[in-house]
Amino acid sequence: MGGGVTAEDPHGDPAGGPEGGPPGPSDWRREFAEEARGERPDLARLCLLIGAVADPSVTRHDLDAAEVELDRLAGLVPYATRVTGDWAAALAALLGRREGFEGVPADYQRLESSLLHEVLRRRRGLPILLSVVWMEVARRAGAPVYGLGLPGHFVVGFGDPADLDLADPFAGGRAMTGTDAELLVASATGEALDRSMLRPAEPGAIVLRVLNNIRAWAAHRPERSGVALWAVELALLLPSHPARLRYERAELLVRRGDFLTGAVEMEAYARVMDAVDPEAATTIRRRALAARARLN
């Protein structure tokens, strides 16, 4: 697979792709948009395409190899689990103990922890990416699996969501009870668990959360604004996304020196905000004027 994340700004489109050469960033983005807007988006494919945009060394072979690895891991799940239904224990034994998938605090400081092909290689990642591995392996093995995006932590569940048969892949597959979930939410938000938090996450919501994590990672590293930009642009390709991401993209463009495009996008967003928050729209127009004033 790719030898690590080196891209600062994979926003352009190097030669390759359409004429039979290696795909460029716009090819990966086009595939991402098509997959995201399909009738049944493939979660693994979307996450792998994020990695392809992030890392220019990733090839089509690398993405296929990652899918093969997920298939291989699924083939190691004991067939009897389909009868016993003890999916959480079987996957904890396989993925947590045998294969070594788990997380450590240092993983939050690495961009690779949000890229599925790297998580499969390193056996380390953020809770949501480790959960994606669990979900994709379990799905391939025939498990009734779903992802649960609790505030501050992502876990997986099996069977009827009302049963709260949960596991924490970040902790190597530690079993979780409903009480554990309540404590986790309380520690993250200071509030009680709301039943709405227990709804299984859809692929689009999971991918948006992955991209939000990447944006948060880049936000603390101004020199990696190119990472923040492509993460925002991929999020904008999802059928459902926060409208404010368009303003965030405009701010990033200005920060990176594309003052005219950033100003134009700020002004477009201000027109949207006129009907919602006129005061905010005025502030955004002032920032657009300031951006235009920086043009040479």
Side-chain angles (χ1 to χ4, degrees):
M1 296 184 190
V5 179
T6 59
E8 165 57 19
D9 182 17
H11 187 50
D13 187 16
E19 300 303 322
S26 68
D27 299 294
W28 296 130
R29 291 172 189 231
R30 191 178 305 112
E31 287 190 34
F32 180 90
E34 291 172 355
E35 188 65 49
R37 296 174 183 277
E39 186 176 348
R40 303 181 69 178
D42 186 308
L43 176 59
R45 198 68 182 173
L46 287 169
C47 289
L48 288 171
L49 287 167
I50 290 173
V53 173
D55 184 351
S57 72
V58 168
T59 66
R60 181 81 59 190
H61 172 76
D62 293 326
L63 300 194
D64 292 342
E67 298 266 16
V68 169
E69 174 65 358
L70 291 170
D71 291 341
R72 183 189 73 83
L73 292 169
L76 297 176
V77 178
Y79 186 82
T81 312
R82 291 174 171 80
V83 178
T84 65
D86 198 359
W87 293 104
L91 286 161
L94 171 63
L95 298 178
R97 293 192 289 277
R98 176 173 168 178
E99 296 290 334
F101 284 97
E102 63 179 351
V104 295
D107 290 323
Y108 285 89
Q109 305 306 315
R110 302 181 62 126
L111 176 57
E112 291 90 341
S113 299
S114 289
L115 308 178
L116 181 55
H117 71 286
E118 289 286 351
V119 172
L120 286 168
R121 180 180 69 84
R122 297 176 54 242
R123 270 29 185 185
R124 295 288 184 274
L126 296 188
I128 191 168
L129 266 296
L130 290 168
S131 293
V132 168
V133 172
W134 270 58
M135 292 165 62
E136 289 299 308
V137 170
R139 180 180 64 81
R140 285 165 167 78
V145 64
Y146 60 91
L148 197 59
L150 297 173
H153 205 65
F154 203 98
V155 299
V156 297
F158 298 91
D160 187 339
D163 294 336
L164 291 181
D165 182 10
L166 308 176
D168 182 359
F170 192 76
R174 178 179 63 86
M176 291 180 61
T177 65
T179 300
D180 292 329
E182 291 174 356
L183 291 173
L184 191 154
V185 170
S187 65
T189 67
E191 300 178 358
L193 175 70
D194 188 293
R195 297 301 295 182
S196 65
M197 299 175 185
L198 301 178
R199 284 197 292 266
E202 296 296 326
I206 295 173
V207 172
L208 180 60
R209 187 159 169 164
V210 170
L211 292 168
N212 287 345
N213 288 338
I214 293 172
R215 288 167 49 228
W217 178 89
H220 297 292
R221 298 165 175 81
E223 74 281 4
R224 304 305 298 275
S225 62
V227 172
L229 181 59
W230 64 250
V232 167
E233 290 175 341
L234 287 184
L236 287 168
L237 294 176
L238 296 171
S240 179
H241 57 259
R244 183 175 170 79
L245 286 181
R246 298 192 176 280
Y247 180 64
E248 184 174 329
R249 179 176 187 271
E251 286 188 312
L252 285 165
L253 289 170
V254 170
R255 194 179 308 161
R256 292 174 58 78
D258 191 349
F259 305 123
L260 179 58
T261 306
V264 169
E265 295 202 6
M266 284 184 181
E267 289 159 353
Y269 186 71
R271 288 193 292 273
V272 173
M273 292 298 291
D274 278 331
V276 181
D277 189 340
E279 186 175 340
T282 299
T283 299
I284 293 168
R285 286 193 173 89
R286 289 197 191 102
R287 291 176 180 170
L289 284 173
R292 287 183 180 277
R294 297 173 67 182
L295 289 168
N296 293 326

